[in-house]
Every structure is written in structure tokens, then in C-alpha cells.
Amino acid sequence: FMKGTRDWLDNLKLRFSYGSVGNDGIDADLWLQTWTSETDMRWQYTMNNQYSSAYDYSASEMANLDLKWETTITRNLGLDFSFFNSRLWGSIDLYWNTTKDLLMLTTIPGITGFTATYDNIGQTSNKGIELSLSGVIFKNKDWNITADRKSTRLNSSHQAISYAVFC
């Protein structure tokens, strides 16, 4: 069905991808409260004339048992093309990324014994189009000159951001 394009169309490929990925940029133990043994004699206690170690929180952040994995869902639709004996080529990509269960360090009152906790606070989304175009300006058997142009248009939004309030 594309026999009429042989003289000028070299390549035409449609791509589609979908996937999700988690954020590994934070500590995996934020849901777990960790403790440390105090070795300073001032913080130890005595029982039957023996010093015993006291235990204290090892972090200033309070653990959050309800933490979820921050996840980004990516969707991409693309078209690759080349024309005129591969002297002009490029691609067009439409993409839409949504990140849900955003992880953020939030401040909590000091009366809790901590200064902050990590919490899932909302979701963000960005959509865009990317155009890449390249071409051969001059070509001979020893060398060539090419030009490239890339353009991106992005539309971002922040949705459903909520903060936990401790009273």
C-alpha cells in the first residue's frame, strides 16, 4: 500500500510504550523506626550498681507505617521517519507522565519528639510533545555536514497535593 512512496520515503516507524517505575532516590527504611544504643555514661542508667545502655531514636524523622512507593507511569507515542535517501530524518514524540504518591518530608510539631516525617502527599503530571529533525546539508565520499534541531513543549500540572496536619 506504500509503493508510491519509494522515491522519497525511506523509513516510517510508529512506536508506543507504557510502563511504571518507582523512585529509588530515598531510603527504603523510612517506614521503619530505628533505635540506637546510647554509649555516653550521662544517658545510661544504673540498676544494681551496673550501668545499662539507654535506647533512643536514631533519626529525627518519625517513621510512617503508611508510606507507599512513589510511582511514575509513563506513556509515549512516537513516529520515526527518514526521507530522500536518508538525507532528512527525525521523530515526533507525544508523552504523558504521571507521578502518584509523591514522597515528601513534612514538618510535624516538636511535641511528638520528632521534627519531621515522610508522607505521600499527592500527584503531579506532565504532558508534552518533542520534535527532533536532522538533515545532511553537504555530503561527499570523505566527510559531511549535518544540522540538528530539537524542540520540546511541556505542560505540567500539580494535582491533589495534601499535607498532613498534626494537632
Side-chain angles (χ1 to χ4, degrees):
F1 77 96
M2 295 186 67
K3 289 181 182 179
T5 64
R6 286 187 193 172
D7 295 340
W8 55 275
L9 181 63
D10 302 315
N11 180 31
L12 188 63
K13 178 173 55 171
L14 183 64
R15 295 178 281 107
F16 175 76
S17 64
Y18 176 89
S20 65
V21 64
N23 179 1
D24 67 350
I26 64 164
D27 190 358
D29 292 333
L30 293 177
W31 63 273
L32 178 68
Q33 191 65 58
T34 55
W35 300 79
T36 186
S37 173
E38 294 289 350
T39 57
D40 189 334
M41 296 284 280
R42 293 176 298 167
W43 301 107
Q44 294 183 355
Y45 64 93
T46 60
M47 185 178 279
N48 297 328
N49 292 327
Q50 283 189 311
Y51 281 96
S52 295
S53 293
Y55 292 92
D56 198 5
Y57 302 121
S58 63
S60 61
E61 293 93 23
M62 182 171 70
N64 183 347
L65 296 175
D66 297 324
L67 278 184
K68 298 177 195 166
W69 191 260
E70 181 179 296
T71 306
T72 301
I73 298 170
T74 62
R75 305 155 198 92
N76 183 290
L77 178 65
L79 180 69
D80 299 328
F81 54 85
S82 65
F83 303 109
F84 311 118
N85 206 17
S86 296
R87 289 186 67 102
L88 180 65
W89 67 93
S91 64
I92 299 171
D93 285 287
L94 302 169
Y95 60 89
W96 177 21
N97 298 327
T98 305
T99 303
K100 64 181 184 171
D101 296 323
L102 288 169
L103 288 167
M104 188 172 230
L105 187 62
T106 57
T107 305
I108 58 175
I111 197 167
T112 62
F114 300 95
T115 57
T117 187
Y118 278 90
D119 204 2
N120 298 103
I121 62 155
Q123 108 178 7
T124 63
S125 180
N126 63 52
K127 300 175 185 177
I129 183 169
E130 189 171 281
L131 173 64
S132 174
L133 192 60
S134 301
V136 177
I137 297 172
F138 176 81
K139 183 177 183 176
N140 69 18
K141 66 178 183 156
D142 296 325
W143 60 281
N144 60 48
I145 299 173
T146 62
D148 300 294
R149 172 76 175 151
K150 189 177 225 181
S151 180
T152 302
R153 185 173 191 308
L154 176 66
N155 181 15
S156 272
S157 68
H158 305 285
Q159 307 161 351
I161 295 185
S162 62
Y163 291 93
V165 178
F166 295 90
C167 297

